Amino acid sequence: MLDWELAWSRALYGPNGFFARGERPDGHFRTSPLVGPAFAEAVVTLLDRVDHALGRPARVDFVDVGAGGGELAEEVRERAPSRLADRVVVTAVDVAPSPACRVPGVVWRSTPPRRVVGLVVANEWLDAVPCPVLVRRGGRWRRVGVDSAGREAVLDPVDAAVRAWLGRWWPIGRRARGGAELRAEAGTPRDRAWTSVVRGVRAGVAVAVDYHHRLADRLAGRVDAGTLAGYLRGRRVAPIPDGSRDLTAHVALDACAAAVHAGVGGPLRTTLTTQRRVLADLGVVRAAPSPSLAATDPFGWLDAAARSGGVAELTSPEGLGGFGWLVHEVALPVRVLASGGRSPVH
Ligand SMILES: C[S@@+](CC[C@H](N)C(=O)[O-])C[C@H]1O[C@@H](n2cnc3c(N)ncnc32)[C@H](O)[C@@H]1O
């Protein structure tokens, strides 16, 4: 029996772990970069805005953190417009082995660079960062342990740091829930991981995109059962830490935002909004092709129809469109997104 956080870490990143042995997201779940080119096009538009705000420096970075198969990094490299193409340095960061077949011009590494001037995007990275899994018992939050068959046991009460995090970000302990078990995941490791990435941005923008919840969701009881889940070959499955499947939990992006503000110095503007709003801001809108195109240019019609379907998937409020975009603008004189929304930092 291991603490869930450790079991999760070993199951994904330990010897022969799910990601460590080179399993790719495209075999198991569908992320925005895998939907089609529209997501990368939006990221290139954002990179162009960042580059403009930086005054088009001699070198501008694009960093894809938790790059998986590197699809986003590769598309950004290939789609960069000529005014960017010879200045952009594209880096894909992943702890897992890089793909055997790589696009020239994408540098792979296992840790985020420490000095970035440009744009960092972490798409569905933080949900794969293991964190403490907790259950409320006897009026206290306790850690949950698990064996490799998925059988759980209740362990020790949480330490002071986790207790403080729960008190601020998941303060549901005193609410009765009709006898049902209250569970939670503490975001402390995600807060640390994201703060460390943003700290490396000297000037530019850092974006974490993920399925998420906010304090209001937690207070309203929408995640009372916790969000830990497994994914295997496109299906949601039980979270069993045996290395066979991806393990994931939604991200408290509002807590990550506050951690960055507490831990990163310098001028910083932070926004927490949705993918749907950001993509509209970046010009990704759905346009169904005209039926008459099918007669004159059937392949053109098919391309346009596929793109329109992809945009619908990327912006669907119940799916990828509802994903959180946590955006930090670091030392930038002008805003790069109009779709600001409310600041998550109080
Ligand atoms: C859910 S996948 C997302 C892949 C890709 N960004 C996408 O959207 O298709 C998460 C990726 O994060 C990587 N990862 C997890 N922890 C990491 C770390 N500390 N540093 C770099 N990569 C990490 C995993 O190996 C995995 O490839």
Side-chain angles (χ1 to χ4, degrees):
M1 187 71 54
L2 291 177
D3 182 276
W4 240 118
E5 184 182 3
L6 179 59
W8 183 348
S9 188
R10 288 191 184 169
L12 295 190
Y13 309 113
N16 207 31
F18 180 82
F19 285 123
R21 69 170 177 267
E23 291 284 349
R24 298 277 173 229
D26 61 354
H28 298 278
F29 43 87
R30 196 158 157 91
T31 61
S32 293
L34 302 176
V35 168
F39 186 78
E41 285 167 15
V43 170
V44 169
T45 302
L46 180 57
L47 175 63
D48 195 34
R49 288 188 192 175
V50 172
D51 183 48
H52 174 75
L54 290 169
R56 308 233 179 257
R59 165 194 164 132
V60 63
D61 292 300
F62 173 71
V63 183
D64 180 1
V65 179
E71 293 83 359
L72 179 61
E74 292 180 354
E75 290 280 344
V76 167
R77 171 71 265 174
E78 290 186 343
R79 287 171 188 276
S82 53
R83 62 181 168 277
L84 268 172
D86 56 351
R87 292 179 297 115
V88 68
V89 176
V90 177
T91 306
V93 181
D94 208 292
V95 285
S98 57
C101 177
R102 302 191 207 162
V103 165
V106 176
V107 180
W108 281 84
R109 46 183 287 162
S110 59
T111 54
R114 295 201 165 276
R115 195 183 183 289
V116 174
V117 176
L119 174 63
V120 176
V121 173
N123 190 72
E124 292 201 36
W125 170 48
L126 291 173
D127 68 84
V129 172
C131 61
V133 175
L134 313 165
V135 64
R136 188 87 183 165
R137 279 292 159 81
R140 301 168 97 173
W141 285 106
R142 291 174 173 268
R143 285 184 171 252
V144 180
V146 66
D147 68 14
S148 58
R151 285 182 293 258
E152 291 187 339
V154 178
L155 306 179
D156 298 335
V158 296
D159 63 27
V162 171
R163 200 164 51 244
W165 190 95
L166 291 163
R168 179 166 182 201
W169 296 110
W170 209 309
I172 60 171
R174 278 189 218 102
R175 179 158 49 73
R177 196 191 165 227
E181 191 172 74
L182 284 174
R183 286 175 69 112
E185 297 95 24
T188 40
R190 279 97 179 263
D191 294 357
R192 280 195 297 274
W194 185 235
T195 300
S196 142
V197 167
V198 180
R199 211 175 267 137
V201 179
R202 299 302 147 98
V205 169
V207 186
V209 183
D210 233 305
Y211 32 84
H212 72 303
H213 43 63
R214 303 185 190 201
L215 185 60
D217 301 308
R218 298 184 284 272
L219 287 172
R222 285 193 275 273
V223 284
D224 272 2
T227 63
L228 181 65
Y231 282 90
L232 180 65
R233 289 192 281 279
R235 290 194 2 257
R236 187 176 166 145
V237 293
I240 298 173
D242 60 358
S244 67
R245 62 201 65 198
D246 183 26
L247 298 167
T248 169
H250 293 213
V251 183
L253 284 178
D254 48 0
C256 294
V260 165
H261 271 258
V264 176
L268 184 67
R269 262 190 314 267
T270 293
T271 304
L272 177 52
T273 183
T274 62
Q275 172 149 311
R276 186 181 170 79
R277 292 179 69 171
V278 174
L279 291 196
D281 184 331
L282 295 172
V284 178
V285 284
R286 191 170 181 200
S290 143
S292 62
L293 186 66
T296 55
D297 178 5
F299 288 113
W301 184 90
L302 276 176
D303 279 351
R307 183 186 165 82
S308 172
V311 171
E313 187 176 348
L314 290 171
T315 55
S316 156
E318 296 77 36
L320 295 171
F323 273 34
W325 273 59
L326 174 59
V327 183
H328 304 285
E329 293 168 275
V330 184
L332 279 190
V334 291
R335 299 205 80 133
V336 293
L337 286 178
S339 52
R342 265 183 326 117
S343 165
V345 184
H346 311 292

